[in-house]
C-alpha cells in the first residue's frame, strides 16, 4: 500500500450480448443503418413519415383491375408498323413537376405484392409511383434475332418489359413504338444481363426490382468498349441477392441512367421506414460477439456490395454473369470493421463466427485511406498492418456517406486526442460538413486505455501482456512508465507491441514524462516500414511542417520517438535508460552503431518542434554520430535544455569534453548534470571552469567516476554556493581530504539548506570524516536531509561517530548499509547510541556484518533500542543471504524483537534474511498482538514454514493497525524445495535404518507434512499392530505430489485470510465501514498458537472440517513387522514414520473428496 504508483495491465472486457431490442420498439430513421441503438447524423435526418400507402394523394383511380392483370399478354395486329421509332431512344430525364400533367392522366390501382416480391414490409405496386425515365434495351446477339426489351424507372421500381408496347400499356407516359426513329438505334444501345433469378417476375412479360431492395448503383469497369452500369439488390426477407447490368454505348445516356437510378433509389430509401429485419440484426451482432467486438453503443451495420477487381475484356455480354460481385453486411464494431456474409438457411446465428462464414475483419486503427467516388456509389477502404502492404476493400453502397461518417467517428472515438487522423480522407466536400464529433466520454489519462486497446485489437496483440504504471509523485508528474511484459517466458516486447504503445501515447496530453527505462527497444532500432508513411510526423501538433532530412528513410524507432515528442505539448521529459544495446555498423541498423534516439530527438529540439527538455540516455553506449547530434543541438541556446543525462554511456575523455562544453551553453536553464559511470577522468580545474557556467543546477551526479591525481578538491566552494543543490552524489569516487573540507564548509553555509540528498557511498570515509560532516550539517532542529554513508570504513574513528549520533547531530534520514565490524563491541556501542538518538526518524542499518552471531549483550542492546527509541519511524535491520556472503544477527534477534512491544513510534520494520524460523514467527506474532503503531512488517525470506506463516497470520486477528504483510512467496518456494529434497533423501536412505542425521531430516519432513494437513489426525493407535520393519519405505511420486499440492492450497488459504485482515485494517484506518468475512470472523477469538506442538497446528483448521471415515486400506499395511527398539531414539523414529504415513493418508482422503 505504500507504493503510490498505479499499475495497470490491459484486457478487453466485452459485455455479454443482451437481448436485442426489437426493431419495432422505436422506429428508426428510414435512411439510417440498422443498429441496436439507433444513432444517425443530423444530415440524414429529415421530416419524414412512414408511407401508409404506396399511392400518392390525389391520384385518380379509374380502373379496379390490377396493373398486373392489365399487363397480361394481348393479341396484337401483326401488321403494326414496325418501322415506327421514337424520336429519341430514351425518354428524357424529367423532374417530378415536368411529368405532372401526365401523372394526372395515369390510372393506378393497388395490389398486394407478388409472391416473389413479398417481404415482411409492404412494397408499393409496380405501376405505382411517378415515371422517371424509360428506354429500350437491345439485347446482345445476332442483329436480326436481337430482342428489344424496354426499361422503365419509376419512383419505386425499375421494370423491364418485353417490348415497348407493354410498357406503354402500363404507363401512358411511355410513347408507342411508332414514335421511335430507327436511326437512333445506331447511336445508342443498351442491354441488360442477369442470372435466371436476378429479376423479380410478376408476370410473363414483366420483371421488376423494388428500389427499396437496391443496395448500390455503380459503374462497372470491365474493359468493354461500352459503358456498363451494375445495379445490386437484396431481398432481405429471403436473403436473396443479385445484380443487374446495363450496357450502354453512349456515355451521356449512361450518365443519365446512372444518375436517375441513384437518385430514385436514394429517395425511396430516405422516404421509407424499412431498415433491417430483426433476425439479420441479431445474426450480425452475434457474429461480432464471436469476434469479441460487439458493443451495443458502438454497433452499426450497412448493406454493401463487395466488388471484385474486374479488369480485362470480356468476349460477350453473357460473360457479365460470371463477374463476382457479392452483397454482404458491413458492420462497424467497437474496434474493427467487419464484412459479414449474408446468412444461409442452414446457418444458425448462435454459432456464427466470421471465420466460419469466410468473412473479413480489419482494425479501425489500421485504416489508411477512405476514397469515395463522386459519380456513383463506389468507395474504397484501404487498411494497412505495420510492415505489410495495404489491402483494399472495393465496395459500393447507397449509404456510402453514412458509412464514411460513422467510420470517421469510430476512428476519432478510438483516438480522441489525435488532432489529425493518420489516414487519407478523399471524400466530396459536402461530406465534410456532415461530420459528427466523436462522443465525449470521461476517461482517465485522456482515454489512453481505450486507444491502446484499439491498437492491440487491430494488431492482434494480447492486451494482458502490456503492463504500465502511472507515477503521480515524481518530478514532472504524471509519468508514464512502461513495465516489463506480463509473460515471464517472453520478457521482451515485440515490435508490434512496442508500436501499439508508442502510437497510443502519441498526441496524449496527460503525461508530462514518459519512461521506457530498462525496456528493450532494440527490435525497433533500424527497422523500416517501406509500405507506407502515414505515421511519419510530417507536421507538429499545431500543423507546422516538420522540415527534417530523409524522414521517409528513418527507422521506425526514430519516427515513433519523433512522433511522441512533436505531437505532444505537455511532454517535457523522456527517459530511455538501458533500453538499447550498442550495435556495430556491420550488425545492422544505423550508421556507426548510432542508437537512433539522439537522431530522433536532438534535431527536433534544435528546431523547437517540441517542448521536451529533459532527456535521459543512461546506460546507452553513445557513438560519435550520437554525440554529434547532441553537440549540434546543445550548442544552440534555443533548445533550453533542463538536463541531458549520459550516465554509463561509455564516454571517454574526448566525448566528455565535447558534451560538457556543449552543455555549458545551456547554463541559464540546465538543472541536472549526470556523468556517472563513464571512463572519462575528471580534471578538477577544467571541470570547475565549465561548472561555473551553470547557475540553476539542482542535481549533480559524478558517482563512479575517475579523477586525475592531485591535491585539488573536486569542487570549489564558490561553485557549490552558487547553486541551490537538492541532490549531490559522489558515491564510489575517490574523495580526498580537501574535498571533504569543501563539503563540510558547504554544509555549514546557508546556501546548502536546499540540499535533500547527499550520497557518499563507498568513498573511503572514516568515522572521523563522517563526524565532521554530521557536525557541519547539524542545526538547532533536525535537518531534512538523507545522508548515505554505506560501505565505508566507519570503524576507524568510531568513537567520534558514536558521540555525534548520541548527541543527535544526525539528519532525519540516514542510510548506513553494509557496515563490516571486526569487533562486535563497536557495533554494540553504535546500537546503544541509537537508543538515545532523537533526531533521526529513518534509519537503514541493513546487511551489517559481525565477526559471529550477535552475543547476549548486543542482543540486549538491540532490545533496549527497540523499546526505548521513540523517534524512529522506519527501521531496516535486514540481513543478507548471498552465495559468497551471509550477514545476520543470529537466533538472538528473536529476543531482541520483543522490545517492539513497548515501542510507540515505529511504523515500518524490515527484518528480511535473518533466519527467524518458527521461534521468530512466534515472537512476531506476540509483538503484533501488543503493538498498535506498526503499519508495515517486511519479514520475508526468513525460513518460515507453513506452520510459522499460519502463526503470524492468526495474530492479525487481534491487530487492527497493520496494513502490510508479505505473502512469503520466497518462503513458500523454499519450503517446497526443502520438502522435495527430504522426499528424495527418504527414498535413498530408507526409513528403518536411520542414522542420527537422517532422523533429523525425517523430523523436519514430518513437520512439513503435518503442517500441510488441514484436519485433525489421530495417532492413538500409532504403536498398535505389528511392529515396524527395518525395511526401506519409498514414497511414490503420486504421494509426494499430494502433499505438495496440499501445502500450496493451505498456503493460499492463509494468504486469503491475511488479505481479509489487512483489508479490514485499511478500512478502519480510513474510516470506512467494515464487514466481517466468515474466514476473518472465525479466527478473531482465537489466540495465535505456538509452534511447540505439531498437533496443535494441525488442529488449527480442523474446527469446521468434516470428519473423515477410516479408509478401507491402510497405506502402511504392506510394511513388514519387526520388534520396535526400546530406546528413546527408536521410539522417536517410529513416531516420525507414523505421522508421515498418517499425513499422506489424510492427503489422499482430501484429494479424493
Amino acid at each position: 500500500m505504500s507504493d503510490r504508483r498505479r499499475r495497470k495491465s490491459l484486457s478487453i472486457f466485452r459485455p455479454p450480448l443482451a437481448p436485442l431490442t426489437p426493431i419495432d420498439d422505436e422506429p428508426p430513421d428510414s435512411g439510417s443503418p440498422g443498429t441496436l441503438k439507433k444513432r444517425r447524423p443530423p444530415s440524414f435526418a429529415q421530416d419524414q413519415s412512414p408511407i401508409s400507402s404506396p399511392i400518392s394523394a390525389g391520384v385518380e383511380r379509374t380502373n379496379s383491375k390490377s396493373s398486373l392483370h392489365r399487363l397480361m399478354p394481348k393479341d396484337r395486329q401483326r401488321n403494326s408498323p414496325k418501322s415506327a421509332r421514337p424520336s429519341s431512344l430514351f425518354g428524357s430525364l424529367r423532374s417530378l413537376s415536368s411529368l405532372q400533367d401526365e401523372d394526372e392522366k395515369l390510372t393506378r390501382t393497388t395490389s398486394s405484392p407478388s409472391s416473389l416480391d413479398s417481404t415482411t414490409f409492404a412494397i408499393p405496386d409496380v405501376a405505382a409511383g411517378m415515371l422517371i425515365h424509360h428506354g429500350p434495351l437491345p439485347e446482345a446477339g445476332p442483329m436480326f434475332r436481337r430482342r428489344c426489351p424496354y426499361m422503365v424507372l419509376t419512383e419505386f421500381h425499375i421494370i423491364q418489359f418485353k417490348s415497348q408496347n407493354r410498357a406503354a400499356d402500363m404507363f401512358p407516359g411511355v410513347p408507342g413504338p411508332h414514335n421511335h426513329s430507327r436511326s437512333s438505334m445506331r447511336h445508342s444501345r443498351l442491354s441488360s444481363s442477369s442470372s435466371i433469378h436476378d429479376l423479380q417476375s410478376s408476370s410473363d412479360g414483366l420483371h421488376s426490382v423494388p428500389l427499396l431492395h437496391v443496395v448500390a448503383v455503380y459503374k462497372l469497369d470491365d474493359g468493354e468498349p461500352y459503358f456498363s452500369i451494375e445495379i445490386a439488390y437484396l431481398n432481405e426477407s429471403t436473403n436473396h441477392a443479385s445484380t443487374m447490368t446495363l450496357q450502354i454505348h453512349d456515355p451521356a445516356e449512361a450518365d443519365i441512367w446512372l444518375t436517375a437510378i441513384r437518385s430514385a433509389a436514394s429517395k425511396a430509401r430516405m422516404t421509407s421506414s424499412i431498415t433491417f429485419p430483426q433476425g439479420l440484426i441479431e445474426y450480425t451482432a452475434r457474429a461480432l460477439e464471436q469476434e469479441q467486438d460487439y458493443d451495443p453503443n458502438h454497433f452499426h451495420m450497412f448493406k454493401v456490395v463487395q466488388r471484385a477487381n474486374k479488369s480485362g475484356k470480356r468476349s460477350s455480354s453473357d460473360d457479365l454473369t460470371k463477374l463476382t460481385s457479392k452483397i454482404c453486411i458491413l458492420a462497424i464494431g467497437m474496434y474493427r470493421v467487419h464484412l459479414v456474409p449474408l446468412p444461409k438457411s442452414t446457418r444458425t446465428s448462435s454459432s456464427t463466427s466470421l471465420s466460419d462464414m469466410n468473412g473479413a475483419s480489419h482494425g479501425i486503427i489500421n485504416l489508411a485511406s477512405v476514397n469515395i467516388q463522386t459519380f456513383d456509389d463506389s468507395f474504397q477502404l484501404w487498411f494497412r498492418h505495420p510492415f505489410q502492404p495495404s489491402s483494399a476493400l472495393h465496395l459500393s453502397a447507397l449509404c456510402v456517406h453514412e458509412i464514411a461518417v460513422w467510420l470517421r467517428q469510430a476512428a476519432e472515438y478510438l483516438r480522441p486526442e489525435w488532432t489529425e487522423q493518420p489516414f487519407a480522407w478523399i471524400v466530396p466536400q459536402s461530406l465534410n460538413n456532415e461530420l459528427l464529433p466523436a462522443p465525449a466520454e470521461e476517461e482517465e489519462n485522456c482515454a489512453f486505455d481505450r486507444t491502446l486497446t484499439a491498437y492491440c485489437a487491430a494488431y492482434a496483440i494480447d492486451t494482458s501482456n502490456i503492463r504500465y504504471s502511472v507515477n503521480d509523485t515524481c518530478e514532472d508528474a504524471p509519468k508514464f512508465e512502461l513495465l516489463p511484459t506480463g509473460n515471464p517466458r517472453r520478457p521482451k516486447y515485440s515490435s508490434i507491441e512496442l508500436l501499439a504503445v508508442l502510437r497510443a501515447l502519441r498526441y496524449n496530453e496527460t503525461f508530462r514524462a514518459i519512461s521506457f527505462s530498462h525496456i528493450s527497444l532494440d527490435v525497433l532500432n533500424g527497422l523500416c516500414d517501406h509500405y507506407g508513411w502515414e505515421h511519419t510526423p510530417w507536421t507538429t501538433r499545431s500543423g507546422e511542417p516538420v522540415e527534417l532530412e530523409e524522414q521517409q528513410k528513418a527507422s521506425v524507432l526514430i519516427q515513433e520517438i519523433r512522433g511522441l515528442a512533436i505531437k505532444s505539448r505537455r511532454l517535457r521529459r523522456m527517459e530511455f535508460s538501458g533500453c538499447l544495446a550498442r550495435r556495430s555498423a556491420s550488425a545492422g541498423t544505423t550508421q556507426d552503431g548510432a542508437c537512433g534516439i539522439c537522431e530522433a530527438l536532438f534535431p527536433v529540439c534544435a528546431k523547437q518542434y517540441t517542448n521536451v527538455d529533459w532527456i535521459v540516455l543512461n546506460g546507452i553506449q553513445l557513438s560519435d554520430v550520437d554525440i554529434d547530434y547532441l553537440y549540434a543541438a546543445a550548442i544552440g541556446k534555443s533548445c533550453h535544455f533542463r538536463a541531458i543525462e549520459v550516465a554509463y554511456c561509455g564516454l571517454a575523455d574526448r566525448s566528455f569534453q565535447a558534451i560538457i562544453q556543449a552543455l555549458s551553453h545551456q547554463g541559464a536553464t540546465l538543472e541536472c548534470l549526470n556523468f556517472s559511470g563513464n571512463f572519462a577522468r575528471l580534471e578538477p580545474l577544467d571541470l570547475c571552469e565549465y561548472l561555473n557556467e551553470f547557475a540553476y543546477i539542482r542535481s549533480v551526479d559524478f558517482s563512479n567516476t575517475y579523477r586525475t591525481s592531485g591535491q585539488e578538491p573536486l569542487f570549489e566552494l564558490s561553485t557549490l554556493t552558487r547553486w541551490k543543490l537538492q541532490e549531490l552524489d559522489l558515491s564510489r569516487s575517490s574523495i580526498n581530504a580537501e574535498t571533504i573540507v569543501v563539503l563540510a564548509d558547504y554544509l555549514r553555509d546557508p546556501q546548502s539548506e536546499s540540499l535533500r540528498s547527499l550520497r557518499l557511498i563507498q568513498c573511503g570515509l572514516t568515522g572521523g570524516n563522517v563526524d565532521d560532516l554530521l557536525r557541519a550539517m547539524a542545526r538547532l532542529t533536525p535537518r531534512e536531509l538523507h545522508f548515505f554513508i554505506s560501505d565505508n570504513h566507519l570503524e576507524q574513528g568510531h568513537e567520534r561517530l558514536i558521540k555525534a549520533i548520541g548527541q543527535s547531530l544526525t539528519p532525519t534520514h540516514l542510510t548506513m548499509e553494509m557496515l563490516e565490524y571486526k569487533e562486535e563491541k563497536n557495533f554494540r556501542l553504535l546500537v546503544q547510541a541509537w537508543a538515545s538518538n532523537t533526531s533521526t526518524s529513518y534509519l537503514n542499518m541493513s546487511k551489517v556484518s559481525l565477526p559471529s552471531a550477535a552475543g547476549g549483550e548486543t542482543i540486549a542492546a538491540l532490545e533496549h533500542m527497540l523499546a526505548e527509541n521513540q523517534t524512529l519511524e522506519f527501521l531496516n535491520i535486514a540481513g543478507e543471504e548471498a552465495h559468497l556472503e551471509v550477514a545476520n544477527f543470529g537466533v538472538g534477534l528473536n529476543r531482541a524483537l520483543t522490545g517492539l512491544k513497548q515501542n510507540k513510534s515505529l511504523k515500518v520494520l524490515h527484518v528480511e534474511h535473518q533466519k527467524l524460523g518458527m521461534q521468530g514467527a512466534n515472537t512476531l506474532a506476540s509483538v503484533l498482538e501488543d503493538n498498535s503503531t506498526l503499519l508495515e512488517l517486511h519479514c520475508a525470506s526468513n525460513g518460515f514454514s507453513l506452520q510459522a506463516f499460519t502463526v503470524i497470520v492468526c495474530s492479525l486477528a487481534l491487530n487492527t493497525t497493520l496494513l502490510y504483510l508479505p505473502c512469503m512467496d520466497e518462503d513458500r518456494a523454499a519450503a517446497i524445495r526443502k520438502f522435495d529434497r527430504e522426499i528424495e533423501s527418504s527414498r535413498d536412505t530408507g526409513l528403518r535404518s536411520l542414522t542420527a542425521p537422517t532422523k533429523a531430516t525425517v523430523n523436519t519432513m514430518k513437520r512439513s507434512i503435518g503442517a500441510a494437513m488441514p484436519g485433525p489426525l489421530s495417532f492413538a493407535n500409532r504403536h498398535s499392530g505389528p511392529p515396524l520393519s527395518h525395511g526401506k519405505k519409498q514414497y511414490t511420486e503420486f504421494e509426494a505430489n499430494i502433499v505438495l499440492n496440499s501445502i500450496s492450497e493451505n498456503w493460499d488459504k492463509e494468504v486469503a485470510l491475511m488479505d481479509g485482515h489487512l483489508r479490514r485494517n485499511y478500512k478502519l484506518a480510513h474510516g470506512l465501514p467494515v464487514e466481517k468475512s466468515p474466514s476473518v470472523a472465525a479466527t478473531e477469538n482465537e489466540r495465535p498458537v505456538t509452534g511447540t506442538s505439531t498437533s496443535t497446528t494441525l488442529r488449527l483448521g480442523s474446527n469446521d472440517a468434516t470428519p473423515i471415515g477410516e479408509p478401507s486400506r491402510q497405506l502402511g499395511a504392506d510394511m513388514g513387522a519387526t520388534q520396535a527398539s526400546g530406546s528413546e531414539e527408536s521410539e522417536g523414529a517410529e513416531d516420525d514414520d507414523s505421522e508421515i504415513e498418517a499425513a499422506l493418508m489424510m492427503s489422499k482422503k482430501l484429494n479424493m473428496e
Side-chain angles (χ1 to χ4, degrees):
M1 296 184 181
S2 61
D3 191 359
R4 300 186 179 178
R5 296 184 299 177
R6 294 171 287 162
R7 279 192 181 179
K8 296 192 175 182
S9 60
L10 295 176
S11 59
I12 305 178
F13 296 97
R14 293 265 64 83
L17 184 62
L20 301 178
T21 307
I23 198 169
D24 294 330
D25 291 351
E26 180 179 329
D29 198 6
S30 60
S32 61
T35 59
L36 300 185
K37 183 175 180 180
K38 191 62 190 171
R39 280 197 268 176
R40 182 172 177 178
S43 59
F44 302 137
Q46 300 180 9
D47 295 335
Q48 303 169 4
S49 60
I51 301 176
S52 58
S53 173
I55 308 301
S56 303
V59 175
E60 182 181 359
R61 304 173 186 267
T62 60
N63 195 339
S64 60
K65 296 182 179 180
S66 68
S67 58
L68 295 181
H69 178 74
R70 292 192 295 110
L71 289 174
M72 295 299 293
K74 298 179 181 180
D75 294 336
R76 295 185 181 272
Q77 298 180 359
R78 296 179 179 271
N79 57 358
S80 299
K82 297 181 180 180
S83 60
R85 299 292 183 186
S87 59
S88 175
L89 177 64
F90 301 104
S92 60
L93 183 61
R94 308 177 185 180
S95 63
L96 297 181
S97 59
S98 66
L99 297 177
Q100 182 176 1
D101 296 337
E102 294 186 10
D103 292 338
E104 293 176 355
K105 300 176 183 179
L106 295 179
T107 59
R108 307 174 185 174
T109 60
T110 60
S111 65
S112 60
S114 64
S115 60
L116 293 177
D117 285 341
S118 62
T119 63
T120 56
F121 309 101
I123 301 298
D125 183 33
V126 174
M130 187 176 300
L131 184 66
I132 297 178
H133 196 50
H134 56 87
L137 284 78
E139 291 186 351
M143 176 66 68
F144 298 102
R145 295 184 180 182
R146 183 178 298 167
R147 293 180 297 174
C148 187
Y150 202 83
M151 188 71 71
V152 174
L153 176 64
T154 68
E155 268 186 283
F156 305 110
H157 291 80
I158 179 169
I159 313 165
Q160 178 180 329
F161 296 91
K162 284 188 175 181
S163 64
Q164 185 175 353
N165 287 333
R166 297 188 179 184
D169 290 343
M170 175 174 283
F171 297 99
V174 177
H178 61 277
N179 296 330
H180 289 262
S181 62
R182 185 182 300 270
S183 61
S184 62
M185 290 293 296
R186 292 192 298 266
H187 302 288
S188 177
R189 300 175 58 192
L190 182 146
S191 65
S192 68
S193 65
S194 62
S195 64
I196 191 171
H197 299 292
D198 283 351
L199 301 178
Q200 301 182 35
S201 176
S202 58
S203 68
D204 186 50
L206 172 71
H207 299 279
S208 67
V209 177
L211 293 181
L212 288 177
H213 292 176
V214 174
V215 177
V217 183
Y218 48 91
K219 289 184 177 181
L220 188 62
D221 184 13
D222 53 6
E224 292 289 350
Y226 39 74
F227 301 92
S228 300
I229 299 175
E230 192 165 78
I231 304 170
Y233 52 93
L234 170 68
N235 188 339
E236 296 174 356
S237 62
T238 61
N239 289 326
H240 176 70
S242 187
T243 59
M244 174 192 296
T245 305
L246 308 180
Q247 296 176 351
I248 306 173
H249 285 197
D250 187 358
E253 293 293 344
D255 291 340
I256 292 175
W257 273 104
L258 180 65
T259 305
I261 298 174
R262 289 184 65 200
S263 177
S266 297
K267 183 177 180 181
R269 176 176 172 270
M270 297 296 289
T271 57
S272 173
S273 60
I274 299 175
T275 55
F276 289 99
Q278 185 69 17
L280 185 59
I281 296 177
E282 293 184 1
Y283 163 81
T284 307
R286 300 292 178 185
L288 266 65
E289 189 181 41
Q290 290 291 328
E291 298 295 317
Q292 300 182 354
D293 195 37
Y294 175 74
D295 188 329
N297 296 324
H298 300 275
F299 172 71
H300 308 281
M301 56 185 292
F302 309 89
K303 293 177 292 185
V304 299
V305 179
Q306 185 177 11
R307 299 180 291 112
N309 187 13
K310 303 175 182 179
S311 61
K313 295 185 178 181
R314 303 287 180 181
S315 60
S316 66
S317 61
D318 295 336
D319 291 333
L320 291 172
T321 59
K322 302 177 182 179
L323 299 179
T324 56
S325 292
K326 61 180 180 180
I327 297 178
C328 55
I329 300 298
L330 186 143
I332 301 177
M334 183 70 182
Y335 302 110
R336 291 189 288 270
V337 177
H338 309 268
L339 285 181
V340 184
L342 294 176
K344 297 180 181 179
S345 57
T346 59
R347 182 183 293 135
T348 58
S349 60
S350 60
S351 61
T352 301
S353 66
L354 293 183
S355 58
D356 297 334
M357 299 183 299
N358 296 322
S361 296
H362 299 273
I364 298 176
I365 292 296
N366 285 340
L367 186 64
S369 175
V370 178
N371 189 353
I372 298 179
Q373 306 298 330
T374 58
F375 49 82
D376 61 2
D377 295 334
S378 301
F379 66 100
Q380 294 83 37
L381 300 179
W382 293 81
F383 297 90
R384 197 178 75 83
H385 194 274
F387 312 111
Q388 296 179 10
S390 300
S391 60
L393 295 179
H394 298 276
L395 307 173
S396 295
L398 284 174
C399 53
V400 55
H401 286 192
E402 296 180 39
I403 294 175
V405 167
W406 285 116
L407 195 57
R408 177 68 180 253
Q409 187 185 75
E412 292 180 349
Y413 174 78
L414 297 179
R415 286 184 289 225
E417 293 294 302
W418 287 55
T419 59
E420 181 182 0
Q421 295 295 327
F423 54 80
W425 182 250
I426 308 173
V427 299
Q429 183 61 35
S430 59
L431 186 59
N432 290 324
N433 300 328
E434 299 176 356
L435 295 179
L436 298 176
E441 295 184 9
E442 292 294 333
E443 190 173 337
E444 63 177 354
N445 301 327
C446 294
F448 172 75
D449 283 351
R450 182 200 312 169
T451 305
L452 181 56
T453 304
Y455 274 105
C456 291
Y459 295 168
I461 296 172
D462 182 7
T463 54
S464 63
N465 197 43
I466 298 178
R467 299 169 59 247
Y468 72 94
S469 66
V470 179
N471 192 341
D472 293 320
T473 60
C474 64
E475 188 177 2
D476 291 329
K479 179 169 74 172
F480 173 88
E481 298 176 347
L482 185 62
L483 304 177
T485 66
N487 187 355
R489 297 182 179 180
R490 187 169 58 88
K492 294 183 179 181
Y493 287 102
S494 65
S495 59
I496 298 297
E497 290 171 336
L498 290 173
L499 278 184
V501 175
L502 289 166
R503 290 174 179 176
L505 286 171
R506 190 182 293 195
Y507 284 95
N508 193 287
E509 290 292 277
T510 299
F511 307 116
R512 300 185 72 245
I514 295 177
S515 173
F516 297 99
S517 297
H518 307 293
I519 301 298
S520 177
L521 302 180
D522 291 312
V523 68
L524 295 180
N525 190 10
L527 185 63
C528 296
D529 190 353
H530 301 290
Y531 297 102
W533 299 275
E534 62 270 14
H535 286 281
T536 302
W538 301 108
T539 61
T540 64
R541 189 182 182 96
S542 60
E544 179 185 356
V546 175
E547 299 178 357
L548 295 174
E549 297 180 358
E550 299 182 345
Q551 276 251 71
Q552 287 180 310
K553 297 181 180 179
S555 67
V556 173
L557 177 65
I558 295 174
Q559 292 184 1
E560 294 301 327
I561 292 178
R562 280 181 181 171
L564 285 181
I566 290 175
K567 298 298 184 178
S568 177
R569 290 189 299 261
R570 293 196 64 198
L571 186 61
R572 302 291 303 278
R573 182 194 299 247
M574 300 187 73
E575 299 181 3
F576 301 95
S577 298
C579 66
L580 289 173
R582 178 70 179 271
R583 294 189 180 185
S584 61
S586 59
T589 58
T590 55
Q591 53 179 344
D592 194 23
C595 68
I597 297 177
C598 296
E599 181 181 353
L601 289 179
F602 290 118
V604 298
C605 292
K607 294 191 175 184
Q608 299 182 352
Y609 291 146
T610 179
N611 291 327
V612 174
D613 54 12
W614 195 304
I615 302 174
V616 180
L617 303 174
N618 299 335
I620 300 176
Q621 300 295 309
L622 299 181
S623 66
D624 292 340
V625 176
D626 297 322
I627 295 174
D628 290 342
Y629 280 114
L630 189 157
Y631 185 87
I635 203 71
K637 297 184 179 180
S638 59
C639 292
H640 307 293
F641 284 118
R642 292 189 298 151
I644 299 178
E645 300 188 33
V646 288
Y648 297 92
C649 291
L651 302 180
D653 293 344
R654 179 178 176 275
S655 302
F656 172 79
Q657 190 75 12
I659 293 177
I660 194 68
Q661 180 183 359
L663 290 180
S664 64
H665 293 81
Q666 306 293 323
T669 58
L670 204 69
E671 300 177 6
C672 175
L673 285 174
N674 187 353
F675 289 96
S676 62
N678 288 293
F679 305 122
R681 294 176 299 172
L682 305 182
E683 176 62 42
L685 297 180
D686 295 338
L687 179 62
C688 291
E689 181 180 353
Y690 291 117
L691 295 181
N692 289 330
E693 299 292 331
F694 305 111
Y696 301 99
I697 292 293
R698 296 187 295 111
S699 175
V700 174
D701 188 352
F702 284 107
S703 61
N704 199 17
T705 55
Y706 304 94
R707 56 159 294 170
T708 58
S709 60
Q711 301 298 323
E712 303 87 359
L714 185 60
F715 302 103
E716 294 181 354
L717 180 61
S718 59
T719 302
L720 294 176
T721 55
R722 292 181 70 249
W723 301 334
K724 290 187 177 180
L725 278 179
Q726 296 179 2
E727 299 178 0
L728 178 59
D729 190 353
L730 301 177
S731 301
R732 290 174 292 278
S733 298
S734 178
I735 298 180
N736 54 20
E738 289 75 11
T739 303
I740 294 177
V741 172
V742 171
L743 289 176
D745 294 339
Y746 169 68
L747 292 173
R748 294 187 186 94
D749 195 282
Q751 191 70 10
S752 67
E753 294 295 334
S754 59
L755 190 64
R756 292 293 175 263
S757 175
L758 177 59
R759 295 176 178 267
L760 300 177
I761 301 172
Q762 198 177 352
C763 290
L765 300 180
T766 64
N769 298 142
V770 174
D771 173 63
D772 293 336
L773 296 175
L774 289 177
R775 295 184 181 277
M777 68 178 65
R779 300 291 187 269
L780 296 178
T781 58
R783 183 162 182 173
E784 292 289 339
L785 174 66
H786 197 159
F787 191 23
F788 295 82
I789 53 173
S790 303
D791 201 7
N792 282 294
H793 308 300
L794 301 185
E795 203 168 11
Q796 300 178 16
H798 196 261
E799 297 79 6
R800 296 177 55 186
L801 175 62
I802 295 303
K803 187 175 181 181
I805 295 175
Q807 294 177 352
S808 301
L809 301 179
T810 54
T812 56
H813 294 67
L814 185 63
T815 295
M816 44 195 318
E817 296 179 311
M818 302 182 68
L819 300 182
E820 184 174 356
Y821 281 92
K822 297 180 180 180
E823 297 183 15
E824 182 182 341
K825 67 174 184 178
N826 290 331
F827 177 71
R828 181 168 63 251
L829 294 175
L830 178 67
V831 172
Q832 293 173 352
W834 282 117
S836 59
N837 184 276
T838 59
S839 60
T840 299
S841 59
Y842 177 103
L843 177 59
N844 186 348
M845 205 165 50
S846 61
K847 304 177 183 178
V848 174
S849 177
L850 300 178
S852 60
E857 296 182 1
T858 303
I859 294 300
L862 276 172
E863 181 181 2
H864 178 72
M865 184 195 77
L866 294 176
E868 297 299 326
N869 188 299
Q870 303 301 323
T871 305
L872 285 175
E873 298 181 359
F874 178 100
L875 178 62
N876 188 345
I877 53 174
E880 183 182 19
E881 188 173 354
H883 293 290
L884 300 178
E885 185 175 359
V886 176
N888 58 73
F889 294 138
V891 295
L893 182 61
N894 295 323
R895 192 189 81 183
L897 292 176
T898 59
L900 293 172
K901 295 182 178 181
Q902 289 78 38
N903 190 283
K904 302 300 180 183
S905 64
L906 197 63
K907 297 179 180 179
V908 180
L909 175 64
H910 286 260
V911 286
E912 298 97 332
H913 299 288
Q914 288 290 355
K915 296 185 178 181
L916 298 180
M918 189 67 219
Q919 183 180 356
N922 288 324
T923 302
L924 292 177
S926 62
V927 166
L928 291 177
E929 284 184 339
D930 298 332
N931 188 287
S932 60
T933 59
L934 200 62
L935 301 180
E936 298 180 18
L937 177 59
H938 301 260
C939 57
S941 302
N942 271 295
F944 290 145
S945 62
L946 175 60
Q947 182 180 358
F949 184 42
T950 302
V951 169
I952 297 176
V953 171
C954 288
S955 67
L956 292 179
L958 302 179
N959 185 292
T960 59
T961 57
L962 194 71
L963 300 179
Y964 175 82
L965 187 68
C967 298
M968 314 290 185
D969 291 333
E970 298 87 353
D971 297 84
R972 181 207 297 236
I976 292 177
R977 289 194 302 268
K978 185 176 181 180
F979 179 76
D980 286 336
R981 291 194 300 267
E982 293 168 354
I983 287 292
E984 294 296 330
S985 176
S986 67
R987 291 173 180 173
D988 295 338
T989 59
L991 296 177
R992 299 301 171 262
S993 57
L994 298 176
T995 59
T998 307
K999 287 186 290 184
T1001 302
V1002 174
N1003 287 333
T1004 306
M1005 183 172 63
K1006 175 201 67 175
R1007 289 192 295 270
S1008 301
I1009 298 177
M1013 298 297 103
L1017 299 177
S1018 175
F1019 305 114
N1021 298 323
R1022 64 177 61 179
H1023 298 293
S1024 62
L1028 296 175
S1029 68
H1030 293 283
K1032 178 180 178 182
K1033 168 61 179 176
Q1034 295 184 358
Y1035 292 96
T1036 65
E1037 189 72 21
F1038 176 74
E1039 294 170 341
N1041 288 336
I1042 289 178
V1043 179
L1044 290 176
N1045 293 335
S1046 180
I1047 292 175
S1048 298
E1049 291 174 2
N1050 283 277
W1051 204 294
D1052 291 336
K1053 292 179 182 178
E1054 296 299 328
V1055 171
L1057 182 61
M1058 179 190 71
D1059 290 340
H1061 289 308
L1062 297 180
R1063 192 177 299 110
R1064 175 205 62 192
N1065 294 353
Y1066 177 84
K1067 292 180 178 180
L1068 290 174
H1070 293 81
L1072 301 176
V1074 177
E1075 296 180 1
K1076 295 182 180 179
S1077 63
S1079 59
V1080 174
T1083 58
E1084 278 196 346
N1085 296 325
E1086 295 183 3
R1087 187 185 184 281
V1089 299
T1090 64
T1092 57
S1093 173
T1094 303
S1095 58
T1096 304
T1097 304
L1098 294 176
R1099 288 194 299 270
L1100 182 62
S1102 64
N1103 294 335
D1104 299 330
T1106 303
I1108 303 174
E1110 291 294 331
S1112 60
R1113 182 175 60 89
Q1114 296 294 330
L1115 179 65
D1118 59 338
M1119 301 179 62
T1122 58
Q1123 196 163 17
S1125 173
S1127 65
E1128 184 177 348
E1129 293 181 355
S1130 299
E1131 292 178 359
E1134 293 174 3
D1135 293 345
D1136 295 340
D1137 296 339
S1138 300
E1139 293 200 19
I1140 293 174
E1141 295 291 343
L1144 289 173
M1145 186 181 300
M1146 180 63 68
S1147 297
K1148 287 187 176 181
K1149 291 179 183 179
L1150 295 175
N1151 188 64
M1152 293 175 60
E1153 290 185 351

